[in-house]
Amino acid sequence: MSSMLEFDEAAARSMEAMYMTPDVVGQRARVIDMLCPRPGEHILDVGVGPGLLAHDLARMVGEAGRLVGLDPAPAMLKMARTRLAAMPYAECVEGDAGNLAFADASFHAVVSTQVYEYVAALPKALSELHRVLKPGGRVLILDTDWRSIVWHSSDAKRMERVLAVWDDHLSNPHLPATLGAALRRAGFSVTRVEIVPMLSPHWQPVSYAAGIMRSIRGFVAANCERHGLAAEEVQAWYDDQLRLAERGEFFFSLNRYAFVATR
Ligand SMILES: C[S@@+](CC[C@H](N)C(=O)[O-])C[C@H]1O[C@@H](n2cnc3c(N)ncnc32)[C@H](O)[C@@H]1O
């Protein structure tokens, strides 16, 4: 049984902080560069989360355009709506990737970062995406493959056990490896695939690595017993990272994969 991450107020706050670190600011710049949003376009952000990307996109489509952020989590919607409040051509709606409440061919582009890995019924969600895009419209999906992680530890076996529990926080921790084929099956042409790394070759307190380390500790501590892992081991794993950081031996690298496709 999987007990996925809950996107409540606490998660929204920690995600917002993590997504303001230079690593994720850089990711957003890459995403915008690959999506090429233009003034006047109608863009949908599936799984809008804290609304940081949606805010940048709304500014780029401008008053002649439209930005819609969709999310099922009330805490995320609240945060995104606050962020977008000054732009009347941007709105956030409650909804699910598996059932998009928009007319056929509503959008010039759809973007979704770190969302489809949480969606269990992927074929249905991608066919919905295809339906709401205009012919020739483009989609950008970015997700993490947790198998790509290179994370130094004094106890490699313990690191493996902790990350095995963390894999349960989403529906598919290895989505990128099959996403291109899934997009093609849904009728898209995949035009570009790029790696977006989250790299901390040394300890940086304000970084994606430091933020995700705290999230992993929280999730794994709450779910460890089902996997036969003691809470003390989770804390020992976390403390080990801090000691490595103090000694100048911290190293973290993880890949996200951005797919651009057209309808
Ligand atoms: C890791 S956050 C990413 C947020 C945002 N896309 C970003 O990159 O800043 C995942 C988001 O996906 C949303 N989400 C989870 N399951 C979803 C689903 N089935 N349909 C749409 N959004 C979903 C969550 O509520 C959360 O806001």
Side-chain angles (χ1 to χ4, degrees):
M1 191 192 92
S2 159
S3 62
M4 302 221 306
L5 204 60
E6 265 187 61
F7 293 103
D8 55 13
E9 287 208 8
R13 276 195 302 277
S14 72
M15 199 165 291
E16 182 183 48
M18 197 165 23
Y19 285 7
M20 285 176 160
T21 59
D23 318 63
V24 190
V25 171
Q27 170 189 301
R28 278 195 294 283
R30 293 272 304 276
V31 164
I32 287 169
D33 183 53
M34 291 174 80
L35 187 68
C36 284
R38 293 185 279 269
E41 284 194 324
H42 292 195
I43 298 186
L44 172 66
D45 184 346
V46 176
V48 66
L52 292 156
L53 177 61
H55 182 265
D56 292 350
L57 292 172
R59 287 176 54 190
M60 300 183 87
V61 298
E63 285 179 31
R66 181 178 178 224
L67 184 287
V68 181
L70 173 138
D71 208 288
M76 292 298 187
L77 286 169
K78 187 173 159 199
M79 196 173 258
R81 281 181 179 137
T82 304
R83 181 157 276 119
L84 296 169
M87 292 183 275
Y89 47 91
E91 61 172 317
C92 289
V93 298
E94 190 171 342
D96 192 284
N99 184 18
L100 299 173
F102 306 105
D104 297 358
S106 294
F107 296 98
H108 298 97
V110 180
V111 67
S112 187
T113 58
Q114 296 288 118
V115 177
Y116 283 93
E117 57 196 26
Y118 293 97
V119 175
L122 187 70
K124 170 76 165 76
L126 294 183
S127 91
E128 276 293 90
L129 207 53
H130 193 269
R131 182 183 65 73
V132 302
L133 261 187
K134 294 179 187 294
R138 55 214 196 278
V139 59
L140 187 151
I141 298 181
L142 175 142
D143 281 289
T144 301
D145 192 329
W146 283 92
R147 257 184 314 231
S148 69
I149 199 159
V150 180
W151 196 350
H152 178 52
S153 166
S154 306
D155 184 335
K157 288 283 168 217
R158 183 175 60 204
M159 174 65 91
E160 263 177 39
R161 290 201 300 277
V162 166
L163 291 178
V165 181
W166 175 242
D167 271 355
D168 258 9
H169 86 282
L170 33 61
S171 180
N172 185 349
H174 312 302
L175 176 59
T178 54
L179 183 58
L183 281 164
R184 283 188 287 274
R185 275 196 297 274
F188 290 98
S189 300
V190 177
T191 56
R192 195 168 166 187
V193 183
E194 288 192 11
I195 291 174
V196 180
M198 298 288 115
L199 175 64
S200 283
H202 51 86
W203 176 249
Q204 295 153 308
V206 180
S207 63
Y208 172 80
I212 204 68
M213 212 170 105
R214 288 189 288 272
S215 297
I216 292 175
R217 179 181 58 170
F219 180 87
V220 175
N223 293 279
C224 58
E225 280 178 14
R226 283 189 298 115
H227 292 258
L229 190 69
E232 298 74 43
E233 272 193 277
V234 184
Q235 189 59 43
W237 164 84
Y238 188 83
D239 292 343
D240 176 50
Q241 289 302 316
L242 296 182
R243 273 196 302 276
L244 290 171
E246 277 168 14
R247 294 207 300 264
E249 294 172 16
F250 183 86
F251 184 94
F252 174 98
S253 167
L254 176 69
N255 287 339
R256 292 173 168 188
Y257 297 81
F259 290 73
V260 180
T262 53
R263 179 186 161 171

